[in-house]
Amino acid sequence: MKTTISLKRLVPGLIIGPASWLGPYIVMNSLFLPALIQHLDAPHKIELVALFSTCGMIVAAISNMIAGALSDKTKSRFGKRAPWIMGGAFVFMLAMMAASVSPTVPVLLAAWMVGQAALNFIVAPMVAWIDFAPKDGRGTASSAYGGLGMALGNNGFNVIGAMFLSQFRLGFVIFGIIAFVGVLIAVLIVHEPSNVDDVDAPKQPKPKLTLKDAKAIFPGWSVGRDYYLALMGKLFQGVGNFAITGYILYIMTDFLHRGSQTQSSIQLINLIMLIFGIFMGFVAGPVSDKFKILKYPVGFSTIFLAFGALALFFLRDNIGIIIYAFAAGIGMGMWNSLDNLLNLEVIPDQNRVAFFLGVYNLGNTVTQAIAPVIAAAVISLFGFSAIFLFSFVFSLIGGILMLSIKSVKR
């Protein structure tokens, strides 16, 4: 029988949980890591950020699929998700402490990769908590995870993280501890029931794995069409978004030349995005549940992201920064509130929820890895200004792919 957890427990956990892993990761990835790389090897900082992103993408992709698959098959007195979530949080904290004392780029890279693997052992099982929600409350649960939890993670922590720009090594330690403690609180609140006594379907003899059996892992296009469209849509939208946020420090210093106003500008952007993200988190899920509308708000949310990118490209001043923050706040708030629910609706195998949701949520880590690599190439070829046009195009493509989904009507 399918496990159902009350929204009274699930919603707080789905807010605190993703905020606790995503917030520290965003701060370290967008602020502390570039700052430490610049400290260790300033002449090659752009190339090194791209290197870290490429390696992180590979590690994240592999560890995420492994974590999701293991979580789906786990039986314990703490449930199938909690043991992996807590193990990942503990190792992530240790890895960030190691990163804080790294004396060279190779040591920093090794610590960061361990952290990337551990992070995905939090991500893949945790997003599957949404599937514990009652049928008529899945929109609310998705909104809690993406709209509120991820809004706090994406923007709330950066407001505080910017204060540690001059003490970035200490920042790694503090935010690593915050991640562990926050995830622990979320796990205790959700309090998954034991699944030791769950009855499995009769086991069939396992055939020898061949290349034809790859469909057992990823189904063919005819079965998984809408899932793949959702996945590609998230990747395009994520790359468009993180192409800007991943280089926000360098955009402020090297492109907009904010100088002493760099810290306050980053805080302003994240504060505005946080406010709108939280607002959409409260509104989007319940509205989706009531009016049975899902695909359209997710698809059209990318228009706001695209508009925000153009504002920075054309204005390049305080007004452009504020318009970008407003537009991105509304767009990301709407997207984060509902995109996980949309994906849950198009999963091709309901017995592997954590696996497929985990792969989908690679969009939160892999796109942060892909975006700086592509952005670095765009910057080197065309200059910083081209990154905003790149973000505009990718955001729109992401929305079009989402709107092409057929199994979810509106």
PDB file of all heavy atoms in Angstrom, residues 26-57:
ATOM      1  N   ILE A  26      24.028  26.766  -2.999  1.00  0.00           N
ATOM      2  CA  ILE A  26      23.998  27.938  -3.875  1.00  0.00           C
ATOM      3  C   ILE A  26      25.015  28.972  -3.423  1.00  0.00           C
ATOM      4  O   ILE A  26      25.759  29.538  -4.226  1.00  0.00           O
ATOM      5  CB  ILE A  26      22.586  28.563  -3.899  1.00  0.00           C
ATOM      6  CG1 ILE A  26      21.600  27.662  -4.647  1.00  0.00           C
ATOM      7  CG2 ILE A  26      22.617  29.946  -4.533  1.00  0.00           C
ATOM      8  CD1 ILE A  26      21.783  27.634  -6.137  1.00  0.00           C
ATOM      9  N   VAL A  27      25.055  29.236  -2.126  1.00  0.00           N
ATOM     10  CA  VAL A  27      25.998  30.222  -1.586  1.00  0.00           C
ATOM     11  C   VAL A  27      27.435  29.821  -1.888  1.00  0.00           C
ATOM     12  O   VAL A  27      28.245  30.625  -2.357  1.00  0.00           O
ATOM     13  CB  VAL A  27      25.796  30.383  -0.062  1.00  0.00           C
ATOM     14  CG1 VAL A  27      26.930  31.196   0.543  1.00  0.00           C
ATOM     15  CG2 VAL A  27      24.467  31.063   0.223  1.00  0.00           C
ATOM     16  N   MET A  28      27.744  28.552  -1.634  1.00  0.00           N
ATOM     17  CA  MET A  28      29.123  28.094  -1.838  1.00  0.00           C
ATOM     18  C   MET A  28      29.478  28.015  -3.318  1.00  0.00           C
ATOM     19  O   MET A  28      30.590  28.337  -3.717  1.00  0.00           O
ATOM     20  CB  MET A  28      29.329  26.754  -1.136  1.00  0.00           C
ATOM     21  CG  MET A  28      29.340  26.889   0.379  1.00  0.00           C
ATOM     22  SD  MET A  28      29.698  25.360   1.271  1.00  0.00           S
ATOM     23  CE  MET A  28      28.068  24.636   1.380  1.00  0.00           C
ATOM     24  N   ASN A  29      28.510  27.602  -4.135  1.00  0.00           N
ATOM     25  CA  ASN A  29      28.775  27.449  -5.565  1.00  0.00           C
ATOM     26  C   ASN A  29      28.896  28.789  -6.278  1.00  0.00           C
ATOM     27  O   ASN A  29      29.757  28.962  -7.160  1.00  0.00           O
ATOM     28  CB  ASN A  29      27.664  26.625  -6.211  1.00  0.00           C
ATOM     29  CG  ASN A  29      27.946  26.305  -7.664  1.00  0.00           C
ATOM     30  OD1 ASN A  29      28.930  25.659  -7.995  1.00  0.00           O
ATOM     31  ND2 ASN A  29      27.083  26.768  -8.554  1.00  0.00           N
ATOM     32  N   SER A  30      28.068  29.756  -5.903  1.00  0.00           N
ATOM     33  CA  SER A  30      28.048  31.028  -6.625  1.00  0.00           C
ATOM     34  C   SER A  30      28.930  32.102  -6.001  1.00  0.00           C
ATOM     35  O   SER A  30      29.326  33.045  -6.689  1.00  0.00           O
ATOM     36  CB  SER A  30      26.618  31.556  -6.730  1.00  0.00           C
ATOM     37  OG  SER A  30      26.085  31.824  -5.453  1.00  0.00           O
ATOM     38  N   LEU A  31      29.256  31.957  -4.716  1.00  0.00           N
ATOM     39  CA  LEU A  31      30.045  32.991  -4.042  1.00  0.00           C
ATOM     40  C   LEU A  31      31.372  32.472  -3.491  1.00  0.00           C
ATOM     41  O   LEU A  31      32.440  32.939  -3.879  1.00  0.00           O
ATOM     42  CB  LEU A  31      29.223  33.615  -2.906  1.00  0.00           C
ATOM     43  CG  LEU A  31      27.929  34.339  -3.308  1.00  0.00           C
ATOM     44  CD1 LEU A  31      27.213  34.874  -2.074  1.00  0.00           C
ATOM     45  CD2 LEU A  31      28.213  35.466  -4.291  1.00  0.00           C
ATOM     46  N   PHE A  32      31.312  31.497  -2.574  1.00  0.00           N
ATOM     47  CA  PHE A  32      32.532  31.072  -1.895  1.00  0.00           C
ATOM     48  C   PHE A  32      33.499  30.334  -2.816  1.00  0.00           C
ATOM     49  O   PHE A  32      34.713  30.555  -2.760  1.00  0.00           O
ATOM     50  CB  PHE A  32      32.196  30.184  -0.692  1.00  0.00           C
ATOM     51  CG  PHE A  32      31.339  30.847   0.341  1.00  0.00           C
ATOM     52  CD1 PHE A  32      30.583  30.097   1.232  1.00  0.00           C
ATOM     53  CD2 PHE A  32      31.267  32.227   0.432  1.00  0.00           C
ATOM     54  CE1 PHE A  32      29.780  30.700   2.186  1.00  0.00           C
ATOM     55  CE2 PHE A  32      30.470  32.855   1.380  1.00  0.00           C
ATOM     56  CZ  PHE A  32      29.727  32.086   2.257  1.00  0.00           C
ATOM     57  N   LEU A  33      32.966  29.429  -3.653  1.00  0.00           N
ATOM     58  CA  LEU A  33      33.845  28.684  -4.553  1.00  0.00           C
ATOM     59  C   LEU A  33      34.550  29.605  -5.551  1.00  0.00           C
ATOM     60  O   LEU A  33      35.779  29.526  -5.691  1.00  0.00           O
ATOM     61  CB  LEU A  33      33.058  27.589  -5.281  1.00  0.00           C
ATOM     62  CG  LEU A  33      33.890  26.699  -6.220  1.00  0.00           C
ATOM     63  CD1 LEU A  33      34.927  25.908  -5.437  1.00  0.00           C
ATOM     64  CD2 LEU A  33      32.993  25.760  -7.016  1.00  0.00           C
ATOM     65  N   PRO A  34      33.831  30.508  -6.260  1.00  0.00           N
ATOM     66  CA  PRO A  34      34.544  31.440  -7.147  1.00  0.00           C
ATOM     67  C   PRO A  34      35.542  32.317  -6.397  1.00  0.00           C
ATOM     68  O   PRO A  34      36.634  32.609  -6.920  1.00  0.00           O
ATOM     69  CB  PRO A  34      33.414  32.289  -7.742  1.00  0.00           C
ATOM     70  CG  PRO A  34      32.211  31.438  -7.658  1.00  0.00           C
ATOM     71  CD  PRO A  34      32.364  30.653  -6.388  1.00  0.00           C
ATOM     72  N   ALA A  35      35.201  32.722  -5.169  1.00  0.00           N
ATOM     73  CA  ALA A  35      36.119  33.561  -4.398  1.00  0.00           C
ATOM     74  C   ALA A  35      37.371  32.804  -4.018  1.00  0.00           C
ATOM     75  O   ALA A  35      38.497  33.339  -4.095  1.00  0.00           O
ATOM     76  CB  ALA A  35      35.410  34.082  -3.140  1.00  0.00           C
ATOM     77  N   LEU A  36      37.231  31.534  -3.614  1.00  0.00           N
ATOM     78  CA  LEU A  36      38.398  30.742  -3.230  1.00  0.00           C
ATOM     79  C   LEU A  36      39.237  30.393  -4.459  1.00  0.00           C
ATOM     80  O   LEU A  36      40.476  30.397  -4.399  1.00  0.00           O
ATOM     81  CB  LEU A  36      37.947  29.465  -2.509  1.00  0.00           C
ATOM     82  CG  LEU A  36      39.058  28.549  -1.968  1.00  0.00           C
ATOM     83  CD1 LEU A  36      40.073  29.332  -1.150  1.00  0.00           C
ATOM     84  CD2 LEU A  36      38.460  27.410  -1.146  1.00  0.00           C
ATOM     85  N   ILE A  37      38.581  30.100  -5.569  1.00  0.00           N
ATOM     86  CA  ILE A  37      39.313  29.841  -6.813  1.00  0.00           C
ATOM     87  C   ILE A  37      40.107  31.072  -7.219  1.00  0.00           C
ATOM     88  O   ILE A  37      41.277  30.978  -7.613  1.00  0.00           O
ATOM     89  CB  ILE A  37      38.335  29.424  -7.939  1.00  0.00           C
ATOM     90  CG1 ILE A  37      37.811  28.006  -7.693  1.00  0.00           C
ATOM     91  CG2 ILE A  37      39.009  29.508  -9.310  1.00  0.00           C
ATOM     92  CD1 ILE A  37      36.733  27.564  -8.662  1.00  0.00           C
ATOM     93  N   GLN A  38      39.492  32.233  -7.107  1.00  0.00           N
ATOM     94  CA  GLN A  38      40.195  33.473  -7.441  1.00  0.00           C
ATOM     95  C   GLN A  38      41.384  33.693  -6.516  1.00  0.00           C
ATOM     96  O   GLN A  38      42.446  34.162  -6.940  1.00  0.00           O
ATOM     97  CB  GLN A  38      39.234  34.657  -7.336  1.00  0.00           C
ATOM     98  CG  GLN A  38      39.855  36.001  -7.696  1.00  0.00           C
ATOM     99  CD  GLN A  38      38.810  37.092  -7.848  1.00  0.00           C
ATOM    100  OE1 GLN A  38      38.291  37.320  -8.931  1.00  0.00           O
ATOM    101  NE2 GLN A  38      38.477  37.747  -6.749  1.00  0.00           N
ATOM    102  N   HIS A  39      41.228  33.326  -5.253  1.00  0.00           N
ATOM    103  CA  HIS A  39      42.316  33.454  -4.278  1.00  0.00           C
ATOM    104  C   HIS A  39      43.466  32.515  -4.605  1.00  0.00           C
ATOM    105  O   HIS A  39      44.649  32.884  -4.470  1.00  0.00           O
ATOM    106  CB  HIS A  39      41.772  33.156  -2.877  1.00  0.00           C
ATOM    107  CG  HIS A  39      42.832  33.097  -1.813  1.00  0.00           C
ATOM    108  ND1 HIS A  39      43.472  34.224  -1.324  1.00  0.00           N
ATOM    109  CD2 HIS A  39      43.372  32.034  -1.147  1.00  0.00           C
ATOM    110  CE1 HIS A  39      44.353  33.865  -0.407  1.00  0.00           C
ATOM    111  NE2 HIS A  39      44.303  32.541  -0.277  1.00  0.00           N
ATOM    112  N   LEU A  40      43.147  31.306  -5.055  1.00  0.00           N
ATOM    113  CA  LEU A  40      44.181  30.308  -5.321  1.00  0.00           C
ATOM    114  C   LEU A  40      44.832  30.475  -6.690  1.00  0.00           C
ATOM    115  O   LEU A  40      46.022  30.192  -6.850  1.00  0.00           O
ATOM    116  CB  LEU A  40      43.588  28.891  -5.204  1.00  0.00           C
ATOM    117  CG  LEU A  40      43.084  28.475  -3.812  1.00  0.00           C
ATOM    118  CD1 LEU A  40      42.401  27.108  -3.877  1.00  0.00           C
ATOM    119  CD2 LEU A  40      44.238  28.453  -2.808  1.00  0.00           C
ATOM    120  N   ASP A  41      44.050  30.919  -7.696  1.00  0.00           N
ATOM    121  CA  ASP A  41      44.591  31.037  -9.052  1.00  0.00           C
ATOM    122  C   ASP A  41      43.784  32.058  -9.846  1.00  0.00           C
ATOM    123  O   ASP A  41      42.992  31.704 -10.720  1.00  0.00           O
ATOM    124  CB  ASP A  41      44.558  29.671  -9.749  1.00  0.00           C
ATOM    125  CG  ASP A  41      45.355  29.653 -11.049  1.00  0.00           C
ATOM    126  OD1 ASP A  41      45.814  30.734 -11.488  1.00  0.00           O
ATOM    127  OD2 ASP A  41      45.505  28.561 -11.641  1.00  0.00           O
ATOM    128  N   ALA A  42      43.980  33.324  -9.546  1.00  0.00           N
ATOM    129  CA  ALA A  42      43.200  34.402 -10.157  1.00  0.00           C
ATOM    130  C   ALA A  42      43.291  34.454 -11.686  1.00  0.00           C
ATOM    131  O   ALA A  42      42.273  34.674 -12.355  1.00  0.00           O
ATOM    132  CB  ALA A  42      43.606  35.747  -9.558  1.00  0.00           C
ATOM    133  N   PRO A  43      44.472  34.261 -12.298  1.00  0.00           N
ATOM    134  CA  PRO A  43      44.557  34.375 -13.762  1.00  0.00           C
ATOM    135  C   PRO A  43      43.686  33.373 -14.527  1.00  0.00           C
ATOM    136  O   PRO A  43      43.330  33.608 -15.676  1.00  0.00           O
ATOM    137  CB  PRO A  43      46.047  34.133 -14.041  1.00  0.00           C
ATOM    138  CG  PRO A  43      46.748  34.478 -12.771  1.00  0.00           C
ATOM    139  CD  PRO A  43      45.802  34.047 -11.691  1.00  0.00           C
ATOM    140  N   HIS A  44      43.377  32.238 -13.899  1.00  0.00           N
ATOM    141  CA  HIS A  44      42.629  31.192 -14.599  1.00  0.00           C
ATOM    142  C   HIS A  44      41.241  30.969 -13.987  1.00  0.00           C
ATOM    143  O   HIS A  44      40.674  29.880 -14.112  1.00  0.00           O
ATOM    144  CB  HIS A  44      43.417  29.876 -14.579  1.00  0.00           C
ATOM    145  CG  HIS A  44      44.785  29.982 -15.177  1.00  0.00           C
ATOM    146  ND1 HIS A  44      45.938  30.094 -14.404  1.00  0.00           N
ATOM    147  CD2 HIS A  44      45.194  30.031 -16.472  1.00  0.00           C
ATOM    148  CE1 HIS A  44      46.992  30.179 -15.192  1.00  0.00           C
ATOM    149  NE2 HIS A  44      46.575  30.153 -16.452  1.00  0.00           N
ATOM    150  N   LYS A  45      40.675  31.974 -13.331  1.00  0.00           N
ATOM    151  CA  LYS A  45      39.449  31.768 -12.568  1.00  0.00           C
ATOM    152  C   LYS A  45      38.261  31.353 -13.442  1.00  0.00           C
ATOM    153  O   LYS A  45      37.475  30.481 -13.060  1.00  0.00           O
ATOM    154  CB  LYS A  45      39.105  33.024 -11.766  1.00  0.00           C
ATOM    155  CG  LYS A  45      38.806  34.264 -12.597  1.00  0.00           C
ATOM    156  CD  LYS A  45      38.524  35.465 -11.701  1.00  0.00           C
ATOM    157  CE  LYS A  45      38.171  36.699 -12.539  1.00  0.00           C
ATOM    158  NZ  LYS A  45      37.920  37.884 -11.686  1.00  0.00           N
ATOM    159  N   ILE A  46      38.116  31.963 -14.625  1.00  0.00           N
ATOM    160  CA  ILE A  46      36.984  31.622 -15.498  1.00  0.00           C
ATOM    161  C   ILE A  46      37.073  30.169 -15.937  1.00  0.00           C
ATOM    162  O   ILE A  46      36.094  29.413 -15.872  1.00  0.00           O
ATOM    163  CB  ILE A  46      36.937  32.544 -16.736  1.00  0.00           C
ATOM    164  CG1 ILE A  46      36.739  34.008 -16.324  1.00  0.00           C
ATOM    165  CG2 ILE A  46      35.819  32.101 -17.687  1.00  0.00           C
ATOM    166  CD1 ILE A  46      35.385  34.309 -15.734  1.00  0.00           C
ATOM    167  N   GLU A  47      38.258  29.756 -16.375  1.00  0.00           N
ATOM    168  CA  GLU A  47      38.451  28.378 -16.843  1.00  0.00           C
ATOM    169  C   GLU A  47      38.279  27.374 -15.705  1.00  0.00           C
ATOM    170  O   GLU A  47      37.731  26.286 -15.902  1.00  0.00           O
ATOM    171  CB  GLU A  47      39.837  28.218 -17.469  1.00  0.00           C
ATOM    172  CG  GLU A  47      40.055  29.014 -18.741  1.00  0.00           C
ATOM    173  CD  GLU A  47      40.449  30.470 -18.463  1.00  0.00           C
ATOM    174  OE1 GLU A  47      40.507  30.861 -17.272  1.00  0.00           O
ATOM    175  OE2 GLU A  47      40.677  31.208 -19.433  1.00  0.00           O
ATOM    176  N   LEU A  48      38.741  27.744 -14.518  1.00  0.00           N
ATOM    177  CA  LEU A  48      38.636  26.823 -13.379  1.00  0.00           C
ATOM    178  C   LEU A  48      37.196  26.651 -12.917  1.00  0.00           C
ATOM    179  O   LEU A  48      36.791  25.549 -12.531  1.00  0.00           O
ATOM    180  CB  LEU A  48      39.514  27.314 -12.220  1.00  0.00           C
ATOM    181  CG  LEU A  48      41.010  27.095 -12.393  1.00  0.00           C
ATOM    182  CD1 LEU A  48      41.797  27.777 -11.282  1.00  0.00           C
ATOM    183  CD2 LEU A  48      41.347  25.596 -12.434  1.00  0.00           C
ATOM    184  N   VAL A  49      36.409  27.724 -12.939  1.00  0.00           N
ATOM    185  CA  VAL A  49      34.989  27.601 -12.600  1.00  0.00           C
ATOM    186  C   VAL A  49      34.313  26.628 -13.566  1.00  0.00           C
ATOM    187  O   VAL A  49      33.513  25.783 -13.171  1.00  0.00           O
ATOM    188  CB  VAL A  49      34.293  28.974 -12.630  1.00  0.00           C
ATOM    189  CG1 VAL A  49      32.772  28.809 -12.570  1.00  0.00           C
ATOM    190  CG2 VAL A  49      34.760  29.831 -11.466  1.00  0.00           C
ATOM    191  N   ALA A  50      34.667  26.724 -14.845  1.00  0.00           N
ATOM    192  CA  ALA A  50      34.114  25.814 -15.848  1.00  0.00           C
ATOM    193  C   ALA A  50      34.564  24.373 -15.595  1.00  0.00           C
ATOM    194  O   ALA A  50      33.777  23.425 -15.747  1.00  0.00           O
ATOM    195  CB  ALA A  50      34.523  26.260 -17.252  1.00  0.00           C
ATOM    196  N   LEU A  51      35.829  24.195 -15.201  1.00  0.00           N
ATOM    197  CA  LEU A  51      36.344  22.858 -14.897  1.00  0.00           C
ATOM    198  C   LEU A  51      35.601  22.241 -13.725  1.00  0.00           C
ATOM    199  O   LEU A  51      35.175  21.077 -13.781  1.00  0.00           O
ATOM    200  CB  LEU A  51      37.844  22.932 -14.588  1.00  0.00           C
ATOM    201  CG  LEU A  51      38.478  21.637 -14.054  1.00  0.00           C
ATOM    202  CD1 LEU A  51      38.440  20.549 -15.119  1.00  0.00           C
ATOM    203  CD2 LEU A  51      39.911  21.889 -13.580  1.00  0.00           C
ATOM    204  N   PHE A  52      35.451  23.007 -12.661  1.00  0.00           N
ATOM    205  CA  PHE A  52      34.729  22.513 -11.492  1.00  0.00           C
ATOM    206  C   PHE A  52      33.294  22.150 -11.860  1.00  0.00           C
ATOM    207  O   PHE A  52      32.746  21.157 -11.384  1.00  0.00           O
ATOM    208  CB  PHE A  52      34.730  23.580 -10.391  1.00  0.00           C
ATOM    209  CG  PHE A  52      35.934  23.530  -9.486  1.00  0.00           C
ATOM    210  CD1 PHE A  52      37.198  23.795  -9.979  1.00  0.00           C
ATOM    211  CD2 PHE A  52      35.798  23.221  -8.146  1.00  0.00           C
ATOM    212  CE1 PHE A  52      38.314  23.760  -9.153  1.00  0.00           C
ATOM    213  CE2 PHE A  52      36.908  23.168  -7.302  1.00  0.00           C
ATOM    214  CZ  PHE A  52      38.174  23.434  -7.807  1.00  0.00           C
ATOM    215  N   SER A  53      32.700  22.949 -12.730  1.00  0.00           N
ATOM    216  CA  SER A  53      31.328  22.703 -13.141  1.00  0.00           C
ATOM    217  C   SER A  53      31.210  21.427 -13.965  1.00  0.00           C
ATOM    218  O   SER A  53      30.275  20.637 -13.785  1.00  0.00           O
ATOM    219  CB  SER A  53      30.803  23.891 -13.953  1.00  0.00           C
ATOM    220  OG  SER A  53      30.774  25.052 -13.165  1.00  0.00           O
ATOM    221  N   THR A  54      32.150  21.209 -14.873  1.00  0.00           N
ATOM    222  CA  THR A  54      32.125  20.010 -15.717  1.00  0.00           C
ATOM    223  C   THR A  54      32.273  18.754 -14.874  1.00  0.00           C
ATOM    224  O   THR A  54      31.502  17.788 -15.011  1.00  0.00           O
ATOM    225  CB  THR A  54      33.255  20.061 -16.756  1.00  0.00           C
ATOM    226  OG1 THR A  54      33.122  21.239 -17.550  1.00  0.00           O
ATOM    227  CG2 THR A  54      33.201  18.844 -17.664  1.00  0.00           C
ATOM    228  N   CYS A  55      33.265  18.747 -13.995  1.00  0.00           N
ATOM    229  CA  CYS A  55      33.480  17.586 -13.128  1.00  0.00           C
ATOM    230  C   CYS A  55      32.275  17.370 -12.204  1.00  0.00           C
ATOM    231  O   CYS A  55      31.842  16.242 -11.983  1.00  0.00           O
ATOM    232  CB  CYS A  55      34.743  17.779 -12.294  1.00  0.00           C
ATOM    233  SG  CYS A  55      36.275  17.829 -13.254  1.00  0.00           S
ATOM    234  N   GLY A  56      31.735  18.468 -11.697  1.00  0.00           N
ATOM    235  CA  GLY A  56      30.579  18.376 -10.823  1.00  0.00           C
ATOM    236  C   GLY A  56      29.374  17.799 -11.531  1.00  0.00           C
ATOM    237  O   GLY A  56      28.606  17.024 -10.942  1.00  0.00           O
ATOM    238  N   MET A  57      29.199  18.169 -12.795  1.00  0.00           N
ATOM    239  CA  MET A  57      28.078  17.670 -13.583  1.00  0.00           C
ATOM    240  C   MET A  57      28.146  16.151 -13.719  1.00  0.00           C
ATOM    241  O   MET A  57      27.142  15.450 -13.559  1.00  0.00           O
ATOM    242  CB  MET A  57      28.086  18.317 -14.963  1.00  0.00           C
ATOM    243  CG  MET A  57      27.054  17.771 -15.927  1.00  0.00           C
ATOM    244  SD  MET A  57      27.182  18.553 -17.557  1.00  0.00           S
ATOM    245  CE  MET A  57      28.846  18.040 -18.041  1.00  0.00           C
TER     246      MET A  57
END
